[in-house]
Amino acid sequence: MRRLLMIVYHFPPLTTSGTYRSLQFARYLPRYGWKPTVLTIRPECLAEPGLLDDEPLRSLPEEVRVLRSIDPEPLRRILGWRDRLLGKAGGNGSTPGADPAVAERRGVTWRDWLSDCFSLPDRQMGWIPVAAWRAGRLLQEGGFDGVYSSAPPASVHLAALLASRGSGVPWIADFRDPWVSNRFLPVRSTSFLDPIDRSLEGKVVRAADRVVANTVELADDFRNRYALPADHFAIISNGYDPEETPAPDDAPEPGGPFTITHAGTLYGRRDPAPLFRAIRLLLDRGALAPDDLRVRLLGTAGPEPRWEHWLADPDLARMIRFEPKVRRDEAFRVLAASDLLLLIQAGTELQVPRKLFDYLSVGRPILAMVTPGATRNIVLREGLGVAVGPEDPEALADRVLEAMRAPRGVFHGKPSRFDFRRLTGELAELLEETRS
């Protein structure tokens, strides 16, 4: 059996969306003759690891080996020292995500410059030397037939670049999301490091034996920006686990309110306010009553200030529920018991959110509140539901009303092309090609 070194940052027991792709590849690669060794982080070294779940690790074959190392998180440590020096009680050095728009309104401060210097290429930069050293030692020991790295964070690719250089072991760099082309979640508040960022991306793309993108649009973006052979880039989509299937009794409650559910954190441009506006339109038209509809925002512990205007409306306040994050199996039960699954993705022409494939696995119709791009394309191309621009509340209201009038509890089929067993086979073929 061939051996593969997988360098990944997000891996169970972390429950972030980035864990799923690497987990499924590690799970199914032994079926194709590849034995993975996964190098990842120790979750206890993170300031905010979030909900932890060991259950997915139990699904891994016994051939899979998982090694863990620390992430020093230098920015958090520096900010923690600053807080202690300033006598700030309870300071843990945490810092909010970068928001260039906010920085522009209030003016760039020294804190932005400090934060950005420790965010090249991202705030996981402290893991680069740790992972590169550990991976390099493993490769020096010999016996590996391939290296696989998965990003974001892009720091993982830089660790793989350093570790694989001179080893003679072929390396595949897998991009779950864009790097410099990712405008959905800005990494920094300033732009003075952007030229270095672009240079680092170029080094990774050129040094990797193959570059994998998970959408056609992202692969085209790479091809257009780099003068490399077309076959240097490959497309392996995200997918679903065929074993994650709703139980027969996981269905919308007959006679209960029509339920729209969004699963996952609402951040950046993921704003449910257009849906609130559409529901208000339906209430004003008399097309529905407050007891007819429920909106469940699963994984969002509570409302943000930007939604206070809508939640001051007593009708909407009755209809909208904010619920904390739960284990993956429980989240699937909630999704399966819903009538319509809400997907919010604006300003991302090149990427598709992980939750789309979780929704596909559940099989309920999808209401995609999206701008033109990869997400809209796949929803319409695969017939997974409807896609509406967030700037069009009238159309959004019409689509919600149409869904409420359709038969409830319908299970849509899962396209076999997104079965992760099949997708892992594509990765195994690519690994074999890099060895030839």
Side-chain angles (χ1 to χ4, degrees), residues 81-386:
W81 294 333
R82 178 206 66 185
D83 291 347
R84 286 193 290 273
L85 286 172
L86 296 177
K88 292 185 178 181
N92 65 357
S94 62
T95 182
D99 188 339
V102 171
E104 182 177 353
R105 287 196 300 270
R106 60 166 165 72
V108 175
T109 69
W110 67 269
R111 292 180 180 84
D112 296 315
W113 290 93
L114 174 64
S115 174
D116 287 0
C117 285
F118 286 90
S119 303
L120 182 67
D122 43 51
R123 293 183 179 176
Q124 289 76 32
M125 63 178 295
W127 199 56
I128 295 174
V130 177
W133 179 83
R134 186 77 182 275
R137 290 289 299 271
L138 290 168
L139 293 175
Q140 287 175 8
E141 293 170 4
F144 284 96
D145 301 282
V147 176
Y148 164 93
S149 59
S150 176
S155 289
V156 176
H157 286 331
L158 294 179
L161 170 65
L162 294 172
S164 62
R165 180 176 290 167
S167 69
V169 180
W171 164 38
I172 290 178
D174 182 21
F175 285 82
R176 303 191 312 273
D177 284 329
W179 183 343
V180 300
S181 301
N182 190 349
R183 294 185 293 274
F184 181 66
L185 187 62
V187 174
R188 293 181 291 274
S189 300
T190 65
S191 59
F192 77 103
L193 293 173
D194 288 358
I196 302 177
D197 222 18
R198 289 191 291 268
S199 175
L200 291 175
E201 183 196 71
K203 290 182 184 299
V204 166
V205 169
R206 294 186 178 93
D209 291 273
R210 299 293 288 273
V211 171
V212 172
N214 64 4
T215 69
V216 174
E217 292 79 3
L218 179 54
D220 287 343
D221 178 68
F222 279 132
R223 292 190 186 106
N224 292 334
R225 291 192 293 115
Y226 293 101
L228 293 168
D231 62 1
H232 187 75
F233 304 97
I235 303 166
I236 301 179
S237 170
N238 269 328
Y240 61 84
D241 182 350
E243 296 180 7
E244 288 182 323
T245 301
D249 56 346
D250 288 335
E253 180 183 352
F258 187 90
T259 302
I260 302 174
T261 299
H262 177 278
T265 306
L266 293 168
Y267 63 90
R269 300 184 184 181
R270 286 190 181 147
D271 185 0
L275 178 63
F276 303 162
R277 186 180 297 112
I279 294 172
R280 183 68 259 175
L281 287 175
L282 292 174
L283 290 168
D284 293 342
R285 292 180 195 170
L288 59 79
D291 291 335
D292 295 337
L293 177 67
R294 289 290 177 269
V295 176
R296 300 182 69 175
L297 301 174
L298 183 64
T300 302
E304 296 184 10
R306 56 180 170 159
W307 305 324
E308 289 178 354
H309 166 71
W310 296 105
L311 298 176
D313 182 321
D315 290 334
L316 291 179
R318 287 172 57 189
M319 303 167 77
I320 299 167
R321 297 177 180 175
F322 294 89
E323 303 180 17
K325 190 172 184 178
V326 297
R327 284 167 47 115
R328 185 174 175 83
D329 55 350
E330 176 60 24
F332 269 87
R333 283 193 287 272
V334 172
L335 292 171
S338 304
D339 296 282
L340 191 63
L341 307 183
L342 176 64
L343 186 71
I344 307 173
Q345 194 79 358
T348 57
E349 296 85 358
L350 306 179
Q351 63 214 83
V352 175
R354 164 69 246 166
K355 67 171 54 63
L356 171 63
F357 297 93
D358 292 337
Y359 288 1
L360 189 154
S361 181
V362 170
R364 298 285 180 248
I366 294 172
L367 172 62
M369 204 162 66
V370 295
T371 49
T375 304
R376 179 184 177 91
N377 293 345
I378 194 171
V379 168
L380 297 180
R381 183 174 65 243
E382 302 297 333
L384 304 178
V386 296

